[in-house]
Amino acid sequence: MSLGALFSIWRARVRAIVRRVLGLKPKLPKSDRRLRLILNGKSADRADIRLAIEEMRQAGTRVDLAITHRLGDATHLASISTRLCDVVVAAGGDGTIQEVVEGILRVRPTRRPSLALLPAGTANDFATGCQIPRFPPLALQLAASGRSRSIDVLQVRGLDPIGEVADLDMSIAVNVITAAFIDENATEISDELKRLIGGPAYWIAGILRTLHLRPRRIEWRSDDARGSDDLVVLTLANGRQTGGGSVVAPSALINDGLMDVRMIRAFEIADFPAVVREVGDPDFPQPRFVIRCRTKRFTLSADEPWNLTLDGEPRTGRRVEVNVLHKPIRLVLPPGAPVRPHRHRP
């Protein structure tokens, strides 16, 4: 459990003790929204989340709780929530959000509930990028009273199936799709790889010897360009950050109908400082190693299957097509969230 979660639990327990000693009741506004909180089973014992739910109920807001136990539970629970709630609250990390969104997309558009987030995972990249409060009572208050906005989702075709999963067209990502082409026998590379995938980092070039990068020839095509390059890292971003806080698309908006693509070409150790500069500066003039574009549709293909992650969940594919689904769901967001400003209904 992260230090942030432990602090939140401690804070919630102190608040509960003070209220009991002083005989105080939580002063929360009542909301007419019906909330259904889908909680990742790994966080089912978090006292701060359960206390926040109880406080909302005492204030008169209806909050139903459903706990997941296995892969796919969140998708199923979200898909049957149409008549049970107005807002589905995804309580977990990016993987839980992804499953919940898949479930909401299975509902007829006119009957889809809104989505809200309660960060309860390890990294919580999408929620953090959307400026969702980490403290459960604040996240639930936002879900009950905040303004919802229509947002985009990335739809992915061409992935290899997982077990008995056959509906490949429903593979989606809400935050970021990433791929890093490395030696399959490499070990102890996760931290360094996250730095390379993320923003500019300041470490010695010799660290590359531990990365075991294995460039892969990828044929790619966007709305306006195409190419064939030896790549080591690529990201397709709807949100702004991944890998526990690494910013990969600082200007991305989750409702503009576009994904932010970044590809890093193969390079030698001597070129490492130049790569760091190009990664850290989206406006770098005439980059040699970093390719960027914004597009509605993006395809990638290789001679052999390659590994990628959808919101942190590992998948494989050979020819992958990614499309932006423009505003298929509504997400409850705070002021200052990364959305294009324009008029919306409350």
Side-chain angles (χ1 to χ4, degrees):
M1 186 177 295
S2 67
L3 291 176
L6 290 173
F7 176 75
S8 179
I9 292 172
W10 174 83
R11 182 179 174 184
R13 287 176 175 172
V14 170
R15 290 170 69 240
I17 292 172
V18 170
R19 287 199 183 100
R20 282 198 295 267
V21 171
L22 299 179
L24 300 176
K25 293 184 179 181
K27 296 181 179 180
L28 298 177
K30 178 182 177 180
S31 172
D32 293 330
R33 290 181 184 172
R34 300 170 299 163
L35 308 184
R36 190 176 206 209
L37 192 145
I38 299 177
L39 177 62
N40 187 304
K42 296 178 181 178
S43 300
D45 60 348
R46 289 214 9 206
D48 57 336
I49 294 178
R50 291 186 176 273
L51 180 60
I53 293 172
E54 185 58 31
E55 289 179 349
M56 295 294 290
R57 288 171 174 170
Q58 290 179 12
T61 300
R62 176 178 168 181
V63 184
D64 295 329
L65 175 63
I67 299 174
T68 67
H69 299 285
R70 61 185 65 86
L71 183 68
D73 280 358
T75 299
H76 172 69
L77 291 168
S79 68
I80 62 173
S81 296
T82 302
R83 298 181 180 179
L84 302 175
C85 67
D86 304 303
V87 179
V88 175
V89 183
D94 289 347
T96 301
I97 297 172
Q98 180 197 55
E99 282 198 38
V100 169
V101 170
E102 285 190 3
I104 293 175
L105 290 176
R106 294 180 182 181
V107 178
R108 193 166 58 195
T110 56
R111 300 179 62 186
R112 289 174 185 166
S114 295
L115 171 69
L117 309 178
L118 193 161
T122 302
N124 305 306
D125 282 303
F126 185 68
T128 300
C130 291
Q131 303 185 27
I132 304 296
R134 293 183 63 91
F135 191 42
L138 297 181
L140 283 183
Q141 289 176 43
L142 176 65
S145 60
R147 182 184 184 187
S148 65
R149 302 290 299 271
S150 296
I151 69 165
D152 302 332
V153 172
L154 304 182
Q155 184 185 55
V156 189
R157 294 190 176 98
L159 297 174
D160 296 332
I162 298 178
E164 297 180 355
V165 176
D167 190 3
L168 301 183
D169 283 345
M170 280 305 296
S171 295
I172 62 102
V174 183
N175 190 35
V176 179
I177 300 170
T178 63
F181 305 110
I182 60 176
D183 189 334
E184 294 180 356
N185 296 320
T187 58
E188 298 180 355
I189 63 172
S190 58
D191 290 340
E192 291 81 3
L193 196 54
K194 287 178 183 178
R195 293 190 182 99
L196 184 61
I197 292 174
Y202 302 97
W203 72 102
I204 61 174
I207 204 171
L208 286 177
R209 294 187 178 90
T210 69
L211 289 179
H212 301 281
L213 293 172
R214 183 186 174 188
R216 181 69 63 87
R217 172 64 63 165
I218 299 291
E219 305 281 343
W220 58 270
R221 181 174 183 175
S222 68
D223 292 340
D224 303 315
R226 64 172 63 188
S228 177
D229 292 275
D230 293 327
L231 303 180
V232 291
V233 174
L234 67 88
T235 58
L236 312 178
N238 185 42
R240 293 186 172 182
Q241 68 179 57
T242 187
S246 295
V247 177
V248 295
S251 301
L253 300 176
I254 56 176
N255 68 340
D256 61 356
L258 300 169
M259 71 184 93
D260 288 44
V261 179
R262 190 183 69 185
M263 298 174 279
I264 302 178
R265 294 187 174 108
F267 56 90
E268 302 294 335
I269 290 179
D271 297 318
F272 181 65
V275 175
V276 172
R277 288 193 297 270
E278 291 184 19
V279 167
D281 184 1
D283 299 318
F284 192 90
Q286 298 180 340
R288 290 191 298 150
F289 301 104
V290 178
I291 307 169
R292 287 184 170 90
C293 67
R294 307 186 74 225
T295 182
K296 298 179 181 178
R297 180 174 179 269
F298 199 76
T299 58
L300 308 106
S301 60
D303 292 336
E304 299 177 356
W306 45 285
N307 299 321
L308 70 162
T309 65
L310 279 61
D311 294 341
E313 303 300 318
R315 299 295 297 268
T316 60
R318 185 188 302 268
R319 185 184 185 281
V320 176
E321 177 183 322
V322 183
N323 291 279
V324 177
L325 299 181
H326 191 39
K327 298 182 178 180
I329 63 171
R330 296 184 67 84
L331 174 63
V332 181
L333 290 166
V339 292
R340 173 178 288 174
H342 53 78
R343 294 183 178 180
H344 264 292
R345 62 180 175 86

